[in-house]
């Protein structure tokens, strides 16, 4: 077991290459009845759906991208719908360029949409890649005059309707709060890490066996220690990264997050850390905070709204996390004494979690798609 931990730690510390969960960056500027758009989409993601690498050299160069630009325009813009109340506003492509992001090359689509305003709202429906990658996210930066909005589109939040009147600080706070909740609920790696640490909270290790704890207060205190440590740790690194005090590329951070899930799940099968799992939650929570920060950093927040966005996003993450605990703990307490909980949920569940997270770690480290 120590050898397995050592190997995982070595992978955690080893240099990793670019690959992070799929994101695109959508910037919209609304002036009068016209929307000016810029859409940055990872070339590797476009290659996955459009097979752009025609010479099979495992890279997509500018010539290959340029030859398929009409396919790129058609594929992307069919998956974006704008409506200001007078019917859908078709987006017309204007340019195709490339740009470098921290995780590789991106195709940059410039477009314009004539969008007459029949009311004071703008509806945006975003469907890029959701049919092939449920983890994909679209990061929106919308400007209406001097007013700036941001939003994260995901498979379960593909449509957004925005009022085009004034935008209050409370709107910013609640908007990012919702993004924080969605991020923790949609972030399977964060959820699996937390659950891996909480599964033993209703049990106690006696020799080579797990036994039920006798008092609910024991389970609650253990759960509170783990959750508090995880919350404190990821809040620290979220703040440090958000304000630029700590800067790490997203690729190794995402691979390291996957490694923390592997280690937390393996600890349920081969317990090395028993009484102080809160220490594991704190140590690895520092890594998860860096992952949370990358989401906010990618949003290109307008000046003056950063602190509110950080406060709202972190509060949303905590609320989402609290909701998971409130569902988990009563169920775990109720079924802790049965074979199903100890063998199937804790045993087989932790094994499956470790294997899944190991695949994520390989994917994110080597820029591969294994699970699709």
């Amino acid at each position: 077991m120590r050898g397995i931990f050592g190997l995982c730690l070595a992978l955690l510390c080893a240099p990793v290459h670019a690959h992070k969960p799929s994101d695109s960056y959508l910037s919209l500027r609304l002036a009068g009845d016209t929307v000016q758009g810029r859409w940055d989409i990872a070339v590797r993601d476009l290659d996955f759906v459009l097979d752009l690498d025609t010479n099979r050299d495992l890279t997509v160069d500018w010539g290959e991208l340029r030859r398929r630009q009409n396919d790129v325009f058609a594929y992307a813009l069919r998956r974006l719908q704008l409506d200001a109340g007078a019917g859908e506003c078709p987006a017309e492509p204007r340019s195709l360029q490339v740009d470098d992001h921290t995780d590789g090359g991106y195709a940059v689509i410039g477009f314009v949409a004539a969008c007459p305003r029949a009311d004071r709202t703008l509806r945006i429906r975003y469907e890029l890649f959701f049919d092939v990658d449920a983890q994909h996210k679209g990061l929106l930066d919308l400007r209406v005059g001097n007013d700036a909005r941001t939003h994260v589109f995901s498979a379960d939040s593909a449509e957004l309707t925005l009022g085009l009147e004034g935008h209050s600080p409370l709107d910013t706070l609640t908007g990012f709060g919702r993004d924080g909740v969605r991020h923790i609920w949609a972030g399977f790696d964060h959820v699996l890490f937390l659950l891996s640490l909480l599964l033993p909270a209703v049990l106690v290790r006696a020799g080579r066996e797990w036994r039920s704890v006798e008092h609910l207060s024991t389970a609650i205190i253990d759960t509170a220690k783990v959750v508090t440590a995880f919350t404190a740790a990821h809040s620290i690194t979220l703040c440090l990264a958000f304000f630029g005090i700590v800067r790490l590329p997203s690729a190794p951070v995402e691979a390291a997050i996957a490694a923390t899930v592997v280690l937390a799940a393996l600890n349920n099968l081969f317990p090395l850390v028993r009484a102080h799992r809160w220490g594991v939650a704190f140590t690895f929570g520092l890594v998860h905070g860096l992952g949370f920060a990358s989401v906010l950093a990618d949003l290109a927040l307008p000046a003056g709204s950063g602190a509110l966005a950080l406060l709202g996003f972190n509060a949303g993450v905590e609320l989402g996390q609290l909701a998971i605990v409130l569902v988990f703990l009563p169920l775990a307490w109720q079924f802790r004494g049965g074979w199903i909980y100890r063998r199937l949920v804790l045993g087989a569940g932790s094994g499956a979690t470790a294997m899944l997270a190991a695949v994520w770690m390989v994917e994110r480290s080597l820029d591969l798609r294994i699970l699709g």
Side-chain angles (χ1 to χ4, degrees):
M1 179 60 194
R2 294 178 187 277
I4 295 174
F5 264 68
L7 176 60
C8 291
L9 286 171
L11 289 172
L12 179 64
C13 298
V16 291
H17 304 287
H19 180 70
K20 67 172 187 173
S22 172
D23 295 330
S24 84
Y25 305 88
L26 177 63
S27 299
L28 301 177
R29 302 291 181 271
L30 181 58
D33 292 339
T34 301
V35 176
Q36 299 280 347
R38 168 182 167 137
W39 202 352
D40 292 28
I41 305 173
V43 172
R44 67 168 184 274
D45 292 336
L46 289 169
D47 180 41
F48 182 75
V49 294
L50 294 177
D51 192 20
L52 302 176
D53 182 20
T54 53
N55 62 8
R56 306 303 182 202
D57 65 350
L58 303 182
T59 61
V60 177
D61 59 31
W62 169 242
E64 291 170 319
L65 183 64
R66 181 73 177 176
R67 282 192 291 274
R68 298 286 303 279
Q69 74 167 13
N70 290 336
D71 295 329
V72 172
F73 289 152
Y75 181 86
L77 296 180
R78 272 203 308 267
R79 289 162 173 79
L80 177 66
Q81 297 174 17
L82 306 174
D83 187 342
E88 187 174 338
C89 315
E92 298 294 333
R94 288 291 186 267
S95 63
L96 178 66
Q97 299 174 315
V98 292
D99 195 7
D100 288 327
H101 288 234
T102 58
D103 57 330
Y106 277 62
V108 181
I109 299 174
F111 62 90
V112 176
C115 211
R117 299 191 201 182
D119 55 31
R120 296 176 179 177
T121 63
L122 175 65
R123 184 182 69 86
I124 305 170
R125 183 161 185 82
Y126 178 106
E127 298 177 334
L128 185 69
F129 297 138
F130 291 154
D131 54 338
V132 294
D133 183 359
Q135 298 301 305
H136 173 79
K137 291 182 175 58
L139 309 179
L140 170 68
D141 174 21
L142 172 67
R143 305 297 171 99
V144 184
N146 294 324
D147 194 14
R149 321 281 181 87
T150 57
H151 183 73
V152 181
F153 290 105
S154 61
D156 59 355
S157 178
E159 188 165 313
L160 174 69
T161 299
L162 290 169
L164 299 179
E165 298 298 324
H167 193 62
S168 71
L170 182 60
D171 294 329
T172 300
L173 190 67
T174 56
F176 278 93
R178 287 192 294 271
D179 288 340
V181 172
R182 279 193 290 266
H183 183 71
I184 191 73
W185 286 356
F188 297 134
D189 43 6
H190 305 303
V191 173
L192 287 179
F193 173 74
L194 183 61
L195 290 179
S196 294
L197 291 177
L198 292 181
L199 282 173
V202 294
L203 302 173
V204 62
R205 191 76 174 178
R208 300 176 65 86
E209 296 182 350
W210 289 103
R211 296 180 180 174
S212 303
V213 297
E214 296 182 0
H215 304 291
L216 179 59
S217 59
T218 303
I220 293 175
I221 291 173
D222 194 27
T223 299
K225 286 180 179 178
V226 169
V227 172
T228 301
F230 183 55
T231 299
H234 70 61
S235 296
I236 289 171
T237 44
L238 172 59
C239 292
L240 291 176
F242 181 76
F243 290 110
I245 299 172
V246 174
R247 291 184 183 278
L248 290 174
S250 62
V253 169
E254 295 297 334
I257 287 173
T260 66
V261 181
V262 174
L263 294 175
L266 287 179
N267 193 56
N268 293 340
L269 300 177
F270 310 100
L272 288 182
V273 181
R274 303 180 183 180
H276 301 292
R277 284 179 295 104
W278 63 266
V280 176
F282 183 86
T283 303
F284 290 162
L286 296 171
V287 181
H288 285 250
L290 295 173
F292 295 148
S294 68
V295 176
L296 276 180
D298 286 338
L299 287 174
L301 301 174
S305 68
L308 273 178
L310 174 62
L311 179 62
F313 186 83
N314 201 33
V317 169
E318 308 316 332
L319 288 174
Q321 183 177 285
L322 179 61
I324 292 170
V325 173
L326 290 177
V327 171
F328 163 79
L329 188 56
L331 291 174
W333 177 257
Q334 180 67 30
F335 296 105
R336 74 192 188 287
W339 176 88
I340 290 179
Y341 187 84
R342 297 182 190 180
R343 298 294 180 84
L344 188 61
V345 178
L346 180 67
S350 296
T353 297
M355 287 189 288
L356 176 62
V359 174
W360 289 340
M361 189 168 61
V362 172
E363 283 188 327
R364 297 172 184 183
S365 299
L366 304 178
D367 195 18
L368 297 175
R369 285 181 183 269
I370 299 174
L371 298 178

